[in-house]
């Protein structure tokens, strides 16, 4: 057992930390990035590529740096601290997870930043049932024809390629018959409608109508989907920890500065104890984010799933407590768009709903006891 | 002891409810229910309908348009209004400055302002909070210096709700800088069209523009607009803040939200059925329903006790209503957030006019877009009007004697 | 709507309040009463009879005073405040509920205190399923023969008569076939084993082996059982409110007296706010106990049940919070047998488990939404 | 970073676990698991078995019988001990006075006491708390007056665990009544057979007799029994209280209880099946399991950080372990209480000797009787050893800088 980062991991942490501090240290710049055409800073995305961050999870043979779940955790936590808009999670963690295992020729373009992936999987009826897919994949010669309506595609409005789930057989919520394909966003039969999300990021509704792919567009089946989603949840746990740790620190700073009734409000014992409970929530979430990272590649899918679900429950609960208490302890100022606290609160609230809410994952853990 | 409503009270409730349902435009009530922002015109329309029926200011003295209702009737009226998603009469007039004027104002002020408040011919806003004074209201620094028959006001107010529409602001200002904190404060009525007033919006995290900063730069206010005595404004402010607590728990608002929770959960697909089928979900709803029923009875107990108290002194038990009431309003928005699930995420800015709304394309169910903003926005209810921490301080001191 | 007590109700409240203050005001006497043969004070029981309290729920025609659920609430709250050991609840509220509706000849002896009833209903397997009865009632001429093992019979070790549930037909958890009988405790075929309970009260295991009753021992069926249990739950809600209000007041007093770090501990804001949360919990429970009293005789059994279940959930939750926080705010002293706080805590914990725990009743409310 | 145990650590865990299972009598472990009280002999038997293996005081210096384990090994050892329901070596000796003696005692004291502590030839108890001093320990008033080569001790200690068996007590006494609170306190070792000592039991709400009052009436203590310097006792007490926090969260205890929860819920009838079938019940268990897993990792992070810290200064993060650890111990007893349900109620006093136990007739399941007393008793864990309120004060100050 070893909680220390390796030398390389420490370098990674420093480098991503500096990058985020440089670009997001002045919080007002976030709104500027959000107003750019793709909803994030093209310049910063290029920096990500330049520093090799976009190659993190890919094998060295493919031009990546062969990072694992711990490296992803380090990067995601830093992105969470900065409330970063760039599609690292969508393209590298989520999208990358599908082509990484396939050793796909697209990898080089993902690493240099010119290709950006997005997972077009959720559908209107699916809620948190991961295998609830109605979109169809019909064989067509050596390729496939895809039809269906995909919803809530993270960063789907600027992606160059979609990872699409579709069904070649099996019942609506069955694993059997589920297939994953990669398709260019500008293919015939693919259309999208982009929009902003509550946390200032971007998403899209994606429609597939007779969209054709060749046979080598097939990436895998339900087991691949399950594995990538679990690593994605682990990564988002780390992002949430970064965001809530920053929010907790911001709140403690505010308690020290803000004066009422002739004293810093941080001198009031009630607020002290509630700040302590925020800290405890952050530390418990951090422990579980580490646990999720450790278990994200566990060879036993059931153990992996139970561990990731447990982490998600803890992280969600901590997110809600830290988010709500940060607002309450700040008072009115945290309700304003101008101040950073509310944006952390909103981002944490949105992460809570991604890939299953607290009750969903609690049921997973309970069933596995 | 009989905790049931009497036949007369039930008849009153039915009358009020029927009026709300038939007379207040459905489109306005739907906006309230959906958590969308109301336009100025929506609020004016609704209050004028109430006013025509004599119900805009029922808690006022009869001579100024009041109804002489019992506390239970007032409770029923307010709760039904909330429960039927009727916008309440603009509180800054009807609940706040109105009672101050008929209690402490002079005859000229009363005649000039009260009828216009009831009919919402003037739009009022509240100038209490300042950037440096949150829970510690008495630390305010906006000052008014007497200059002949005018006060000259300089300073800044904040969190001023709907000041962008306001004709008038009632403000606490410091008229004696040497007096102790609470003792040098006066209560002024200021025309918002006076030169030197600037209103700047504060955009809140839900994207709404409800609140504002109001700047005063050498604003000249006639001395006739001083309410009561100079340097006694803190007394009137305390009266205002403690006044009319019967709606503070907003039971009706939470009732309406919980009805909506059930309705939406019944139409939200989840696996082979709908979310409402999930016993765990229903238990979460039941927990809020139970606490709400308890709070409703607690509120009625306070209402009943209120009718026997010397007036003017708020019951410290109303702090209990504020704490639990705000927690339950928030809990209901969390249930709505849970129902929306992944469809809480899309951000759909509200169009400026209602026609544009019907042309907007939703992502997911058409009711989902305002859910997250409502959750965000409702965090304020445990902060404003005396934060829940302040309320607990009040109870500890006034009830427990700690 | 009227929250005031009538003149008679106020008199009742004063009279029971004085009685309890006289006998339980000195807390040390409770332990003395518990050591008496029946586990309570025979002398005080006689006083109850003398003051007419034992006739409270019975019709005036039967020699009672025709009190309703509000009168029962008044008495039970006072008993809760005093942590009273006498079997008012077992004999008058619970037992009395069965013979009251029947206009039974036993009423006179219950009112004068010479007969004491106990409900022998629960069985080893039944947990909180009210109709889960395995004991049998076999017709025998114009009477019945009863067989079965009854458990956790409140005050069953000193009762003179049992109200017994048994099944003449129907499946194990069905309402159909359930019958209630009254039987003398010293009848042939009836035996018992008494014991103390955690809260200092008494209970018994009661065995029925070929116990014979005549036809007029039959009191009613499942509907009667349901109705009496709902009124009993309402009464126990009031008892719990009495206990938790007393415990909350005791805690506030302690906060004012106990000094640490040179100040009364009640001057620490954290303890103040937690005392406030205790108060809120008591007031919310009180409101629901009143609601339960109001609904306990509602003509619609489904509405009655949902209301009583809701009250039980609130009262249980408040009991747990008030009980645990009272211990914590007191510190070590509340962990001692000598000090009163721990006894309130234990009684509240035991009331929580009677006639269904929080989860059980929450499920009832949820199903009825 | 690799959060998994290494192969060596796993081998160590297996070795320890196998030893506990095969060597510590099952009857003793069953009593711990069931929440029944241990006899003096049970504790002595168990510690002597550990001592024979060299594991009674593994955290001590090697010269006094320690094992030079890594922090992770110590964590594994403690957690396995708790998880296998092995009674820990008597903490007043092994965890408390032992480390004070090998750190601050003189050679004579070390040679005289340390071997007997490890072998539990002396039974030690702790004399810190007094009736007037709860969280405010330094306000203690028991005084020791120097009289030749003796101290004369007068006063009263309370909450003294298992003093009824004790040969020795280590006590904080005030030797300089004029000094400021913390500065006039000394650390004395007192023979419990000294004339003038009286031990009175305090019966706790679970009916147990674990704690006592200890009265000192002109008790004469040789000056050689002073540890370290006169009036420096507060430093040693702080060292003692902050020492060896790796077991403070009692992860293993809660693990063992949760295994029991599952086992008992699987055999508790509920409707047509068993309680374990109820998804709502399992979710309640899952909630505790998840928090426990989080706390275990938090604890390991503190352990890992500890191994790099300057020794002697406890990590304020250990206050987090105390808070969450005590909450989870309590949560597990609440789950057990829920399983017992109606059968939590019968009170079955524990017989004095083990033979009588097997003759007792249970009411309901035979495991049910100790459940409620354990729930009652476990309320103490958030009070003793620095209440959770004190722990939050520590974190606010030492970590958050508030």
């Amino acid at each position: 057992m070893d909680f220390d980062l390796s030398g390389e991991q420490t370098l990674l942490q420093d480098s991503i930390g500096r990058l985020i501090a440089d670009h997001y240290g002045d919080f007002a710049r976030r709104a500027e990035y959000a107003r750019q055409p793709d909803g994030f800073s093209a310049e910063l995305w290029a920096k990500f590529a330049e520093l090799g961050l976009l190659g993190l999870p890919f094998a060295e043979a493919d031009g990546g740096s062969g990072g694992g779940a711990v490296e992803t955790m380090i990067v995601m936590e830093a992105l969470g601290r900065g409330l970063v808009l760039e599609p690292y999670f969508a393209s590298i963690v989520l999208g990358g997870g599908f082509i990484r295992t396939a050793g796909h020729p697209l990898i080089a373009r993902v690493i240099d930043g010119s290709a950006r992936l997005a997972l077009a999987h959720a559908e209107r009826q699916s809620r948190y049932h991961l295998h609830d897919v109605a979109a169809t994949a019909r064989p067509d010669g050596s390729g496939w024809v895809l039809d269906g309506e995909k919803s809530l595609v993270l960063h789907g409005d600027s992606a160059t390629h979609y990872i699409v789930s579709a069904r070649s057989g099996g019942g609506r919520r069955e694993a059997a018959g589920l297939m994953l394909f990669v398709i260019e966003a500008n293919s015939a039969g693919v259309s999208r409608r982009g929009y902003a999300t509550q946390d200032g990021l971007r998403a899209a509704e994606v429609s597939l109508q007779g969209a054709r792919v060749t046979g080598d567009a097939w990436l895998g089946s339900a087991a691949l989907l399950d594995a990538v989603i679990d690593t994605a949840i682990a990564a988002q746990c780390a992002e949430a920890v970064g965001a809530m740790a920053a929010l907790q620190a911001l709140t403690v700073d505010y308690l020290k500065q803000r004066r009422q009734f002739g004293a810093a409000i941080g001198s009031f014992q009630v607020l002290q104890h509630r700040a302590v409970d925020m800290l405890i929530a952050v530390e418990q979430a951090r422990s579980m984010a580490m646990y999720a990272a450790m278990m994200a590649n566990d060879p036993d899918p059931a153990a992996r799933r139970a561990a990731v679900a447990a982490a998600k429950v803890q992280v969600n609960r901590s997110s809600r407590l830290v988010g709500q208490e940060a607002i309450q302890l700040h008072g009115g100022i945290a309700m304003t768009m101008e101040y950073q606290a509310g944006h952390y609160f909103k981002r944490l609230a949105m992460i809570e709903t991604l890939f299953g809410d607290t009750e969903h994952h609690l049921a997973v853990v309970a069933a596995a006891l | 002891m009989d905790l049931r409503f009497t036949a007369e009270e039930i008849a009153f409730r039915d009358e009020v409810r029927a009026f709300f349902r038939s007379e207040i435009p459905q489109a306005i009530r739907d906006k309230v229910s959906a958590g969308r922002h109301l336009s100025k015109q929506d609020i004016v329309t609704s209050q004028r309908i109430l006013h025509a029926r004599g119900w805009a200011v029922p808690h006022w003295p009869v001579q100024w348009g009041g109804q002489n209702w019992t506390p239970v009737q007032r409770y029923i009226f307010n709760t039904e209004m909330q429960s039927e998603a009727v916008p309440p009469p603009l509180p800054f007039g009807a609940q706040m400055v109105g009672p101050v004027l008929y209690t402490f104002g002079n005859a000229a002020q009363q005649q000039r302002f009260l009828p216009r408040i009831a009919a919402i011919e003037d739009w009022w806003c509240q100038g209490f909070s300042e950037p440096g004074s949150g829970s510690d209201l008495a630390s305010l620094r906006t000052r008014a210096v007497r200059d002949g028959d005018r006060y000259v006001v300089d300073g800044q107010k904040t969190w001023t709700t709907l000041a962008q529409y306001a004709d008038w602001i009632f403000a606490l200002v410091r008229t004696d800088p040497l007096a102790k904190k609470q003792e040098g404060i006066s209560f002024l009525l200021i025309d918002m069209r006076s030169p030197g007033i600037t209103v700047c919006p504060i955009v809140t995290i839900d994207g709404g523009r409800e609140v504002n900063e109001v700047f005063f730069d050498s604003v000249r206010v006639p001395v006739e607009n001083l309410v009561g005595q100079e340097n006694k404004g803190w007394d009137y402010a305390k009266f205002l803040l403690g006044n009319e607590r019967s709606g503070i728990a907003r039971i009706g608002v939470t009732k309406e939200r919980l009805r909506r929770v059930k309705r939406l959960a019944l139409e939200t697909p989840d696996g082979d059925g709908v979310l409402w089928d999930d016993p765990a979900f229903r238990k979460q709803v039941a927990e809020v329903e139970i606490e709400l029923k308890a709070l409703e009875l607690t509120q009625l107990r306070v209402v009943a006790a209120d009718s026997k108290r010397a007036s003017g002194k708020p019951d410290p038990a109303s702090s209990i209503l504020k704490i639990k009431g705000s927690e339950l309003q928030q809990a209901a928005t969390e249930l709505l957030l849970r129902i929306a699930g992944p469809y809480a995420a899309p951000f759909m800015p509200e169009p400026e006019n209602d026609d544009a709304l019907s042309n907007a394309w939703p992502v997911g169910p058409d009711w989902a877009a305002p859910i997250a903003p409502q959750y965000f926005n409702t965090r304020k209810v445990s902060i404003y009007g005396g934060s829940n921490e302040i309320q607990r301080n009040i109870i500890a001191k006034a009830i427990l004697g700690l």
Side-chain angles (χ1 to χ4, degrees), chain A, chain B:
Chain A
M1 175 162 295
D2 174 16
F3 286 84
D4 290 336
L5 298 183
S6 68
E8 282 178 17
Q9 288 167 340
T10 306
L11 281 177
L12 174 66
Q13 193 176 46
D14 293 347
S15 119
I16 180 81
R18 263 198 312 277
L19 184 67
I20 301 308
D22 286 350
H23 287 77
Y24 281 88
D26 172 8
F27 181 63
R29 291 177 66 182
R30 184 172 188 262
E32 287 170 31
Y33 300 155
R35 280 192 296 271
Q36 291 195 17
D38 290 337
F40 60 86
S41 161
E43 181 215 358
L44 179 54
W45 189 246
K47 278 265 169 57
F48 270 90
E50 200 179 296
L51 288 168
L53 289 165
L54 304 185
L56 194 74
F58 300 106
E60 293 185 28
D62 288 325
S65 54
V70 171
E71 284 74 16
T72 294
M73 180 181 82
I74 291 167
V75 172
M76 290 302 294
E77 188 183 333
L79 302 186
R81 279 183 185 273
L83 282 175
V84 166
L85 299 170
E86 284 65 32
Y88 184 90
F89 173 76
S91 185
I92 308 302
V93 178
L94 199 47
F98 289 95
I99 60 167
R100 185 173 67 98
T101 38
H104 197 276
L106 203 51
I107 290 177
R109 291 183 52 208
V110 169
I111 292 177
D112 73 17
S114 61
R116 286 187 307 275
L117 312 181
L119 174 62
H121 166 59
E123 299 177 8
R124 171 66 194 269
Q125 80 291 343
S126 56
R127 203 168 169 88
Y128 301 130
H129 299 266
L130 195 55
H131 297 160
D132 190 335
V133 168
T136 56
R138 195 159 35 84
D140 176 48
S142 66
W144 301 84
V145 178
L146 307 179
D147 283 279
E149 300 297 321
K150 296 295 181 175
S151 192
L152 299 164
V153 179
L154 298 177
H155 279 289
D157 62 340
S158 64
T160 59
H161 296 74
Y162 294 125
I163 313 293
V164 171
S165 59
R167 185 172 285 294
S168 61
R172 207 185 78 195
R173 280 188 301 280
E174 283 179 21
L178 252 184
M179 302 180 75
L180 282 302
F181 301 92
V182 61
I183 186 169
E184 286 197 52
N186 60 6
S187 303
V190 179
S191 60
R192 60 181 157 195
R193 239 170 40 180
Y195 48 87
T197 52
Q198 298 287 349
D199 44 18
L201 277 70
R202 303 285 307 176
E205 304 293 285
V206 174
S207 180
L208 302 155
Q209 291 176 312
R212 283 167 201 280
V213 291
T214 55
D216 58 2
W218 179 74
L219 300 170
S221 55
L224 173 63
L225 178 70
D226 294 354
V228 174
I229 294 296
D230 279 345
T231 58
I233 293 173
Q236 287 228 307
C237 285
E239 182 181 353
V241 166
M244 74 177 89
L247 181 55
Q248 182 262 330
L250 190 66
T251 305
V252 170
D253 283 348
Y254 188 78
L255 292 177
K256 290 176 183 171
Q257 285 157 24
R258 170 77 169 170
R259 295 181 71 82
Q260 294 272 274
F261 304 106
I265 61 174
S267 67
F268 295 114
Q269 196 189 23
V270 158
L271 305 190
Q272 289 179 353
H273 280 210
R274 285 166 62 179
V276 166
D277 288 338
M278 288 173 70
L279 175 76
I280 293 175
V282 172
E283 293 306 327
Q284 291 282 85
R286 184 187 301 285
S287 290
M288 288 307 268
M290 294 167 98
Y291 180 58
M294 177 173 86
M295 295 293 288
N297 298 310
D298 197 273
D300 174 3
R304 182 192 74 211
R305 177 138 198 258
V308 167
K312 177 78 170 157
V313 170
Q314 178 69 56
V315 169
N316 272 7
R317 293 238 160 122
S318 293
S319 292
R320 188 158 294 197
L321 182 138
V322 172
Q324 293 183 349
E325 286 290 79
I327 301 283
Q328 184 71 23
L329 268 53
H330 273 90
I333 184 153
M335 294 292 297
T336 67
M337 200 67 110
E338 212 182 331
Y339 189 72
Q340 199 163 356
H343 296 270
Y344 282 116
F345 169 64
K346 291 197 286 184
R347 177 70 187 137
L348 288 168
M350 291 301 107
I351 292 177
E352 272 189 59
T353 69
L354 280 175
F355 307 117
D357 65 7
T358 309
E359 280 288 331
H360 174 83
H361 287 286
L362 185 60
V364 170
V365 177
L369 281 182
Chain B
M1 183 159 82
D2 186 347
L3 307 190
R4 273 166 280 229
F5 286 129
T6 62
E8 293 75 25
E9 287 162 347
I10 289 172
F12 177 74
R13 183 195 67 195
D14 293 345
E15 180 192 359
V16 164
R17 187 182 291 176
F19 179 82
F20 291 149
R21 289 186 182 171
S22 65
E23 301 304 317
I24 307 294
Q26 186 69 39
I28 293 178
R29 296 166 60 219
D30 284 348
K31 277 166 95 172
V32 171
S33 176
R36 299 189 190 275
H37 288 103
L38 296 176
S39 67
K40 177 177 183 180
Q41 192 52 52
D42 291 333
I43 293 169
V44 169
T45 299
S46 179
Q47 180 164 344
R48 294 224 170 120
I49 292 168
L50 294 172
H51 183 61
R53 179 72 177 78
W55 288 354
V57 289
H59 54 294
W60 285 17
V62 173
Q63 84 175 104
W64 298 115
Q67 288 288 352
N68 211 14
W69 285 340
T70 65
V72 172
Q73 283 181 300
R74 286 192 206 174
Y75 170 79
I76 290 171
F77 180 79
N78 283 326
T79 303
E80 287 299 316
M81 186 159 61
Q82 293 163 350
S83 180
E84 296 301 323
V86 173
L90 190 71
F92 315 105
Q95 303 294 335
M96 297 183 182
V97 75
V100 167
L101 290 177
Y102 64 67
T103 309
F104 303 106
N106 58 39
Q109 289 167 340
Q110 291 171 350
Q111 280 152 20
R112 177 177 175 192
F113 292 113
L114 288 176
R116 297 180 59 83
I117 289 172
I120 196 162
E121 285 163 12
D122 291 331
W123 186 288
W124 282 84
C125 64
Q126 178 185 32
F128 278 18
S129 289
E130 299 187 4
S133 71
S135 294
D136 186 9
L137 181 58
S139 67
L140 61 90
R141 298 193 298 182
T142 295
R143 67 187 187 281
V145 178
R146 183 73 177 263
D147 176 20
D149 58 353
R150 306 263 155 174
Y151 289 101
V152 181
V153 178
D154 283 278
Q156 181 191 349
K157 296 291 175 180
T158 193
W159 311 125
T160 310
T161 303
L162 301 179
Q164 67 267 40
Y165 306 141
D167 304 301
W168 286 87
I169 185 168
F170 57 94
L172 293 180
V173 295
R174 192 164 293 286
T175 37
D176 181 353
L178 302 175
K180 273 199 297 182
K181 243 181 166 184
Q182 285 88 345
E183 290 168 16
I185 292 172
S186 297
F187 193 108
L188 280 190
L189 312 177
I190 307 176
D191 188 331
M192 287 291 280
R193 278 161 303 242
S194 311
I197 292 184
T198 316
V199 175
C200 297
I202 299 172
V203 181
T204 47
I205 53 172
D206 56 326
R209 194 217 147 155
E210 246 181 7
V211 288
N212 301 271
E213 295 181 290
V214 181
F215 295 88
F216 299 85
D217 180 14
S218 297
V219 176
R220 300 178 71 79
V221 180
V223 291
E224 70 205 49
N225 288 358
L226 172 73
V227 175
Q229 292 178 263
E230 198 176 80
N231 296 333
K232 292 288 179 201
W234 186 251
D235 293 344
Y236 316 141
K238 273 201 305 186
F239 166 85
L240 181 154
L241 293 171
N243 203 36
E244 189 54 30
R245 297 288 188 112
S246 80
I248 199 172
R250 303 183 83 203
I251 303 285
V253 169
T254 305
K255 276 190 180 176
E256 200 275 333
R257 281 190 191 151
L258 289 179
R259 285 203 307 271
R260 202 155 176 258
V261 161
K262 178 169 176 178
R263 208 164 59 234
L264 297 180
L266 274 166
E267 63 181 58
T268 296
D270 187 29
D272 285 321
V274 295
L275 183 56
W276 188 251
D277 301 333
D278 176 5
F281 179 78
R282 281 170 75 161
K283 280 186 190 171
Q284 289 187 325
V285 179
E287 289 181 325
V288 182
E289 289 270 12
I290 291 165
E291 286 214 76
L292 184 66
K293 172 52 79 179
L295 188 64
E296 182 173 23
L297 286 156
T298 303
Q299 161 124 17
L300 283 162
R301 288 165 52 211
V302 173
V303 165
D306 254 358
S307 58
K308 287 173 214 135
R309 295 169 61 89
S311 69
K313 291 265 179 193
D315 186 345
S318 62
S319 291
I320 295 178
L321 308 178
K322 171 66 164 57
I323 292 169
K324 289 304 287 185
S326 57
E327 288 175 358
L328 292 175
Q329 288 172 67
Q330 292 172 337
T333 64
E334 291 183 56
L335 290 171
L336 288 167
L337 190 67
R338 187 166 166 224
I339 297 169
Y343 285 109
F347 177 71
M348 301 284 127
E350 281 190 51
E352 284 303 308
N353 66 72
D354 294 352
D355 293 339
L357 187 62
S358 54
N359 295 325
W361 47 265
V363 175
D366 58 6
W367 47 263
I371 295 277
Q374 191 178 37
Y375 165 65
F376 302 148
N377 184 277
T378 304
R379 300 314 303 172
K380 75 183 177 195
V381 300
S382 51
I383 297 171
Y384 68 21
S387 72
N388 284 7
E389 291 71 37
I390 294 289
Q391 304 298 338
R392 284 190 172 84
N393 286 349
I394 292 172
I395 296 170
K397 190 172 169 195
I399 301 183
L400 301 181
L402 292 172

